[in-house]
Amino acid sequence: AALREVAREVAFDGLARLPALDVFVGETYTVKVPETALNDAAEQQTAITSVANGTVDVGVIRAARRIELYLTGDDQRSKADAARREVLSFMEDNDVFFGGAAERSVRESTLGIAQSWNINHTDAEKRTQNWKTIEGIADIMNRYPDIPCEVLGTTTSAKAAPAPLADYFGLDRTRDVRDIMYRLSRSRAEACQAALIERGVPAERLQVRAEPLTGETKVDFVPKANSPSGAVAGLPEGLPFRLLHVRSADSGVGEALRQIGAFTAENEVIFNGAGEDGLPRAEQAWDVAHLDAHTRASNKRTLAGVAKIMSDFPSMCLEVHGETGAASIAPTALAAHFRL
């Protein structure tokens, strides 16, 4: 596919930062430095491993008048596929075992309920097996140093959480069963993440995820071609560069992103605050039909505008991202609605 320029920036103070519109986290880039009066031609491989606040940092190992970045994602994906196959084969005969929150050995342990997500099982044989599994996964991941890994914790289906676990989190074992089991599955995944870091896997290559009530209690390790975590080195001072993109499957994504970005810079969806006086119901805080008629009409225009842009790019998918402001305590009405 033909290369398409998607960004042009200049680095200052040892760092080049560009909008993450057409940058794909986890993809491998070839950095080509052309020959200039001051530099010989050079080439190196790098990967984007971090996107923060809508921007990404790109680094090269040497100064030059100009660099050109070409996206070569097939190599990254093939390495991730190979790593996944090795992990799946290894996990056929290995596992990570945790004590059940309701087990007597857990309740009577030094850590108490927290023992139910401790890699160091109270049973010596299972403790040894756990570290054998962690070391095996670490060995595989360290042989693929540019591949991130998702650590996924899951729990079995349940209508009620174990009473000791509910008491530990201060939640209702029946009403809050999903929240309780989420915390358990995430804590176990985080314990495995910490153990992998201890065995030499860089923290920025590990992403924790939890899925409660899936029907199976376990921790999986999933090498991936992309990850939102990590960090990369900065560019030398004063270095201009061009970023060129070559993923034919994403044809049009840059233009779609630019149109969405330009439109939403002038238009937004505004909601009533959950703590506002006079709300007829808690759900009004996430109803696009704002109580103010002018804002309600503006929301409708915003959504119609986004829909129009997406209809012009039928092969594109849209991620709808919601966020809230920082707060030390939730609105009373909202907490009451969720019974938390």
Side-chain angles (χ1 to χ4, degrees), residues 101-183:
E103 293 178 7
R104 181 177 178 179
S105 61
V106 168
R107 298 197 310 271
E108 295 180 352
S109 68
T110 303
L111 294 177
I113 295 303
Q115 178 61 44
S116 62
W117 55 84
N118 189 357
I119 284 287
N120 293 308
H121 201 285
T122 55
D123 180 271
E125 184 176 342
K126 290 181 179 179
R127 182 165 59 248
T128 298
Q129 174 60 51
N130 283 355
W131 282 106
K132 176 186 175 185
T133 299
I134 290 296
E135 288 166 359
I137 295 297
D139 177 66
I140 294 171
M141 295 312 303
N142 286 332
R143 285 190 278 105
Y144 294 90
D146 57 345
I147 298 299
C149 181
E150 179 181 84
V151 185
L152 172 62
T154 61
T155 67
T156 188
S157 300
K159 293 183 178 179
L165 196 61
D167 292 342
Y168 179 86
F169 290 122
L171 298 172
D172 184 277
R173 64 189 299 253
T174 303
R175 183 193 66 205
D176 302 322
V177 60
R178 173 169 288 276
D179 189 4
I180 295 168
M181 302 310 279
Y182 170 82
R183 297 186 190 197

Side-chain angles (χ1 to χ4, degrees), residues 30-300:
T30 298
V31 180
K32 294 184 177 181
V33 180
E35 182 177 1
T36 69
L38 301 178
N39 297 282
D40 295 329
E43 181 176 314
Q44 73 173 80
Q45 295 290 316
T46 188
I48 301 300
T49 58
S50 176
V51 172
N53 299 320
T55 61
V56 64
D57 298 339
V58 182
V60 294
I61 59 175
R62 49 168 286 161
R65 292 293 183 180
R66 184 187 66 190
I67 63 172
E68 295 176 338
L69 283 75
Y70 297 87
L71 190 63
T72 55
D74 289 344
D75 179 61
Q76 184 82 350
R77 283 189 290 273
S78 65
K79 288 181 181 179
D81 289 343
R84 272 195 297 272
R85 286 193 295 270
E86 289 195 39
V87 168
L88 286 172
S89 177
F90 176 76
M91 292 300 290
E92 287 180 0
D93 300 312
N94 297 275
D95 208 340
V96 178
F97 301 94
F98 292 97
E103 293 178 7
R104 181 177 178 179
S105 61
V106 168
R107 298 197 310 271
E108 295 180 352
S109 68
T110 303
L111 294 177
I113 295 303
Q115 178 61 44
S116 62
W117 55 84
N118 189 357
I119 284 287
N120 293 308
H121 201 285
T122 55
D123 180 271
E125 184 176 342
K126 290 181 179 179
R127 182 165 59 248
T128 298
Q129 174 60 51
N130 283 355
W131 282 106
K132 176 186 175 185
T133 299
I134 290 296
E135 288 166 359
I137 295 297
D139 177 66
I140 294 171
M141 295 312 303
N142 286 332
R143 285 190 278 105
Y144 294 90
D146 57 345
I147 298 299
C149 181
E150 179 181 84
V151 185
L152 172 62
T154 61
T155 67
T156 188
S157 300
K159 293 183 178 179
L165 196 61
D167 292 342
Y168 179 86
F169 290 122
L171 298 172
D172 184 277
R173 64 189 299 253
T174 303
R175 183 193 66 205
D176 302 322
V177 60
R178 173 169 288 276
D179 189 4
I180 295 168
M181 302 310 279
Y182 170 82
R183 297 186 190 197
L184 176 63
S185 57
R186 184 170 184 87
S187 294
R188 288 174 170 174
E190 289 174 344
C192 291
Q193 177 194 40
L196 287 169
I197 294 171
E198 185 176 329
R199 288 300 187 266
V201 181
E204 61 268 20
R205 290 176 52 215
L206 298 171
Q207 177 187 3
V208 168
R209 190 161 66 90
E211 291 184 358
L213 309 179
T214 62
E216 190 171 6
T217 297
K218 61 178 180 176
V219 174
D220 280 328
F221 305 92
V222 188
K224 311 193 92 176
N226 61 346
S227 171
S229 61
V232 292
L235 289 163
E237 182 175 357
L239 176 63
F241 67 89
R242 297 166 60 223
L243 179 64
L244 298 106
H245 183 207
V246 64
R247 271 182 33 160
S248 58
D250 297 309
S251 177
V253 68
E255 181 59 27
L257 285 167
R258 277 187 283 275
Q259 289 190 27
I260 289 287
F263 179 77
T264 55
E266 302 294 334
N267 299 273
E268 61 181 335
V269 177
I270 300 174
F271 294 94
N272 289 105
E276 289 182 15
D277 292 332
L279 292 189
R281 65 194 194 288
E283 292 92 332
Q284 181 62 45
W286 54 88
D287 191 337
V288 295
H290 198 282
L291 294 179
D292 177 76
H294 175 76
T295 304
R296 183 164 63 248
S298 177
N299 285 351
K300 186 175 181 180

